[in-house]
Amino acid sequence: MDLCRAQFREFVHQVPLMYFIVCWNAVAVAFTYRNEASPWLNLIFPVVLCAVGCARGFWWTRNSQTTFSDAEILRHIRTTGILAIVLTSAFTVWTFLLYPHGDQQTKTHLTFFLALTQISAVFCLFPLRPAALSVATFSTIPFLIHFSVVDNARRLPEALMLTMVAGGMVFILYKYNATFAKLIRSRHILRQRQLETQKLSDENRQIAFTDPLSGLPNRRALLSRLEAIASRTDREPGQLAMVFIDLDGFKVINDFHGHQFGDHLITEVGRTLCSLRGEHSMLARMGGDEFALLIEAGNAAAAAQQFAASALACLTQPITILDRQFQIGASIGIAIDLDGQTAPFELLRQADTAMYAVKANGKHGIQLFDKALDEGKKWRHQIEQEIATGLGRSEFDVVYQPIVDARTEAVVCVEALVRWPGRPGGPLTPDEFIGIAEGSGTIQALGMYVLERACRETGYIRGLKLSVNVAPTQFNNPDFCRHVQEILALTGFPPERLQLEITERHLIDYPERASQAIDTLRGLGVSFALDDFGTGFTSIAYLQSFGFSCVKIDCSLTKRLDHDPKAGFLISGLIQMARGLDVSVVVEGVETASLAAALKATGCKQLQGYHFGRPGPLRNIVAHELVGHMASEVA
């Protein structure tokens, strides 16, 4: 079919010329025989011939730029070939009828015009080999036969010459068509290779812009889209929004259950998010456990918030992967181009900043970007750097808060707490810098600093237990247990006197790693306390499975004793439950003598709070009258 299309393109511009030559020669012949033949031969016949030729020539001229279908091309080729044979044959018959009516000069003219018409028709039909051969056959053979017998073969030389010319044209026609067909085939092959190359290029582009795991567009695809949007100048306010999603707890699943579970989880999350996105949006996997949704719509702000809310609700639900159930969450940031002037790449950064603000505030939430977050981010980055340098300059200090026996009020344990008095820019409270240290990873060094210093400072007081807080992210360090053992060996601190306090977050975020670390250190004699007990919904279930030796009832429950009579029953119930599990109990937040007395009545064994001492230097506790009986044991 490619050859037919190419032939059609070639001859479509030559067909009007063929009809023009036939008509013009018909007029010339009629003029030559104007006084020699009857009106029927000299007028009516050429008029009909010219009318048909002019009509067809005009039609082709008008449609020379028209795009025809393959079926139409075949039909027009066939029709043109038939009409060319009919017209040249009619012209030949007409000239044969006119020939006897002229003198020698007009006969010579007639022979010339007839030969010229036949040759021109064959030439114009060169691209269509069947049509050209048919015209040559239906015109040359009758021409040779006719002039071989009329006028005693006086015109035979002209007939033979025309036959030789026709034969030469047929030979050239075959060579031309063979070369033309070869060219078309070459062009077809070239075009096929170009199409294959383009297909391969498209496939490579598809691979380059698609995440192989989730099947979603990848980071490169999203950045390419943002670049295209950045080049536009017709954006209006509120028509562009970005949602950035980071999964909570994915790394734990990936590390402890293997990449197979992690890959299945990413695939499932991708399907879930894809089902939630609306029109005019692009969902991309940015890498790891991060996804981003770009929304281009008139109601981009509302669409972004609706998607974020739906995504958070869905990702909070348990997910079953390979017959095992997991529960994750998500930290989601939203940025909206409110003024129509925010650069698309800046919008991505803003959404990312908003997402990290969620993570810094405990994860699992949605945050809309505002300019204050940038200031907060700069401030957090500054504090991260100051923590790192502050550890090297000994800017941090360790203070201690006593934990007393509820019956005798003697100090039996101290909790080591970190402070930052030496900061050049002024002291910060632990609430201000501990979260930043956890997010930046400097909590590892800071935690080990507190543990080592506390072991050194309290090691000489015989019988005094030391309780040290461990941040959840410290368990994420595979060298955590080794570092603790090294500190115990370096300081000579007895492991059985060390108690590490962890919160329920450890067990939720890092269950298997926490279990391994607890088992390893318990084997050395280190005990563990579950901090903030009673505030979570799964704390009770963890008591036996993780082998805690102590629970610390959170001060939020203690404060309720002053105005909520039911709080006493709740605390008493928790104490009795812990006693039944052979777990000691420490009640935090004891600030008055009356509160201490009330807690003694519930059966609590150990108390901690401002009533017994605020966090301060160890020497204050040693010198206090509450531990006077311990002075004799000071080495």
Side-chain angles (χ1 to χ4, degrees):
M1 194 61 213
D2 285 338
L3 181 59
C4 290
R5 294 192 198 101
Q7 291 172 333
F8 186 78
R9 286 193 299 269
E10 288 292 322
F11 95 89
V12 71
H13 300 290
Q14 299 174 196
V15 173
L17 177 62
M18 181 189 73
Y19 287 120
F20 172 77
I21 292 173
V22 171
C23 294
W24 181 256
N25 286 350
V27 171
V29 171
F31 180 78
T32 302
Y33 277 82
R34 63 186 180 280
N35 298 321
E36 306 293 338
S38 64
W40 183 83
L41 284 176
N42 202 37
L43 184 61
I44 296 176
F45 198 97
V47 168
V48 174
L49 197 64
C50 289
V52 174
C54 289
R56 292 296 298 171
F58 176 76
W59 188 90
W60 277 108
T61 302
R62 187 181 61 182
N63 293 278
S64 60
Q65 303 300 325
T66 302
T67 301
F68 296 101
S69 66
D70 290 347
E72 290 174 329
I73 288 174
L74 292 174
R75 188 175 69 252
H76 289 311
I77 289 176
R78 187 165 51 250
T79 303
T80 301
I82 293 173
L83 283 177
I85 295 172
V86 170
L87 284 177
T88 52
S89 298
F91 190 89
T92 302
V93 171
W94 174 52
T95 54
F96 288 169
L97 293 175
L98 282 176
Y99 184 81
H101 299 287
D103 55 19
Q104 292 302 320
Q105 185 176 4
T106 54
K107 289 179 179 180
T108 301
H109 290 165
L110 181 64
T111 306
F112 169 76
F113 284 123
L114 178 57
L116 180 62
T117 301
Q118 294 170 354
I119 293 172
S120 299
V122 173
F123 179 80
C124 291
L125 293 173
F126 243 44
L128 299 179
R129 187 173 66 180
L133 288 175
S134 299
V135 169
T137 302
F138 281 95
S139 60
T140 305
I141 295 177
F143 187 93
L144 177 60
I145 295 173
H146 178 74
F147 288 108
S148 297
V149 296
V150 299
D151 282 351
N152 296 321
R154 182 177 295 177
R155 304 293 176 184
L156 182 59
E158 289 91 336
L160 291 174
M161 181 59 68
L162 177 60
T163 302
M164 292 180 63
V165 171
M169 292 183 67
V170 168
F171 176 75
I172 295 173
L173 173 64
Y174 268 96
K175 290 194 63 176
Y176 169 81
N177 272 268
T179 304
F180 187 77
K182 184 177 180 181
L183 174 63
I184 297 304
R185 282 194 298 272
S186 299
R187 289 173 58 183
H188 175 73
I189 294 172
L190 178 61
R191 185 164 62 251
Q192 288 297 114
R193 290 178 178 173
Q194 289 175 337
L195 290 175
E196 291 174 1
T197 302
Q198 183 63 41
K199 182 180 179 181
L200 182 61
S201 176
D202 292 342
E203 289 176 352
N204 289 336
R205 180 180 175 83
Q206 182 70 13
I207 293 172
F209 284 86
T210 302
D211 173 54
L213 183 58
S214 63
L216 296 172
N218 59 13
R219 181 184 184 88
R220 180 183 295 181
L222 180 63
L223 295 181
S224 177
R225 181 60 190 154
L226 292 179
E227 187 174 351
I229 295 174
S231 64
R232 285 168 33 195
T233 58
D234 59 343
R235 286 192 292 127
E236 296 184 6
Q239 290 191 342
L240 200 63
M242 182 72 70
V243 182
F244 204 99
I245 301 174
D246 185 272
L247 303 182
D248 299 332
F250 170 77
K251 191 175 187 304
V252 177
I253 295 174
N254 204 48
D255 289 347
F256 284 100
H257 299 285
H259 293 291
Q260 182 183 16
F261 282 90
D263 290 349
H264 280 284
L265 180 59
I266 289 296
T267 303
E268 185 63 29
V269 170
R271 279 199 293 263
T272 299
L273 295 179
C274 198
S275 67
L276 297 176
R277 72 182 184 91
E279 297 181 351
H280 311 295
S281 63
M282 176 183 181
L283 178 66
R285 183 191 176 203
M286 302 299 286
D289 59 348
E290 294 180 337
F291 295 83
L293 181 75
L294 173 65
I295 301 175
E296 300 176 72
N299 58 341
Q305 292 174 352
Q306 180 180 356
F307 171 80
S310 300
L312 186 63
C314 288
L315 295 178
T316 305
Q317 301 300 317
I319 298 177
T320 301
I321 305 294
L322 300 178
D323 298 327
R324 298 184 65 176
Q325 198 170 69
F326 300 92
Q327 187 163 5
I328 59 173
S331 300
I332 303 177
I334 302 175
I336 302 168
D337 181 18
L338 295 175
D339 58 3
Q341 301 297 319
T342 307
F345 291 100
E346 172 64 13
L347 205 65
L348 178 61
R349 186 198 68 80
Q350 291 178 358
D352 185 56
T353 299
M355 181 274 293
Y356 273 106
V358 177
K359 282 195 169 296
N361 290 294
K363 304 180 180 180
H364 191 68
I366 300 172
Q367 174 69 54
L368 184 63
F369 176 83
D370 60 50
K371 293 182 179 179
L373 293 179
D374 272 342
E375 296 300 322
K377 186 177 181 180
K378 292 177 183 177
W379 184 79
R380 287 193 299 273
H381 181 66
Q382 177 185 341
I383 299 303
E384 288 176 9
Q385 294 178 319
E386 290 183 5
I387 291 173
T389 57
L391 284 169
R393 297 174 181 174
S394 300
E395 297 175 1
F396 291 91
D397 196 6
V398 177
V399 297
Y400 303 88
Q401 186 174 27
I403 299 173
V404 304
D405 183 282
R407 185 177 58 84
T408 64
E409 295 192 355
V411 177
V412 295
C413 181
V414 290
E415 181 180 355
L417 303 168
V418 66
R419 296 293 185 266
W420 196 359
R423 179 174 176 265
L428 293 178
T429 66
D431 289 341
E432 291 175 305
F433 68 83
I434 290 296
I436 297 175
E438 288 188 26
S440 64
T442 53
I443 192 65
Q444 306 291 345
L446 184 60
M448 292 301 104
Y449 167 82
V450 173
L451 179 61
E452 180 180 353
R453 181 165 170 179
C455 287
R456 287 185 184 279
E457 292 181 346
T458 63
Y460 72 96
I461 305 177
R462 296 176 184 174
L464 182 66
K465 290 199 69 172
L466 171 64
S467 188
V468 180
N469 290 282
V470 178
T473 52
Q474 285 184 263
F475 274 123
N476 199 33
N477 187 344
D479 296 325
F480 172 71
C481 292
R482 182 174 60 82
H483 289 162
V484 173
Q485 295 178 55
E486 289 175 351
I487 289 174
L488 292 174
L490 182 66
T491 61
F493 192 88
E496 61 273 8
R497 284 173 50 193
L498 177 62
Q499 175 178 275
L500 299 181
E501 295 185 20
I502 64 175
T503 64
E504 196 174 19
R505 270 185 59 196
H506 295 75
L507 311 179
I508 294 176
D509 292 346
Y510 312 101
E512 296 190 17
R513 185 165 290 177
S515 178
Q516 292 174 1
I518 290 173
D519 290 343
T520 299
L521 294 176
R522 280 181 62 209
L524 299 176
V526 177
S527 60
F528 283 83
L530 181 60
D531 200 8
D532 301 335
F533 182 69
T535 60
F537 59 89
T538 54
S539 297
I540 296 175
Y542 288 143
L543 282 179
Q544 282 188 307
S545 59
F546 285 91
F548 288 100
S549 60
C550 175
V551 294
K552 301 185 74 173
I553 296 179
D554 190 69
C555 59
S556 62
L557 287 178
T558 310
K559 292 178 180 178
R560 290 169 55 186
L561 285 172
D562 292 334
H563 59 275
D564 185 1
K566 295 180 181 179
F569 294 107
L570 178 59
I571 293 176
S572 178
L574 292 174
I575 292 172
Q576 296 304 318
M577 179 199 65
R579 182 181 299 172
L581 296 173
D582 195 23
V583 176
S584 63
V585 177
V586 177
V587 179
E588 298 178 306
V590 183
E591 299 184 359
T592 63
S594 60
L595 187 57
L599 289 170
K600 289 179 185 179
T602 64
C604 180
K605 299 298 183 181
Q606 295 181 359
L607 304 174
Q608 180 181 0
Y610 290 170
H611 175 65
F612 305 105
R614 292 177 177 271
L618 183 63
R619 62 178 178 273
N620 294 349
I621 299 176
V622 173
H624 198 277
E625 60 182 1
L626 292 177
V627 289
H629 70 284
M630 297 173 57
S632 62
E633 298 182 0
V634 174

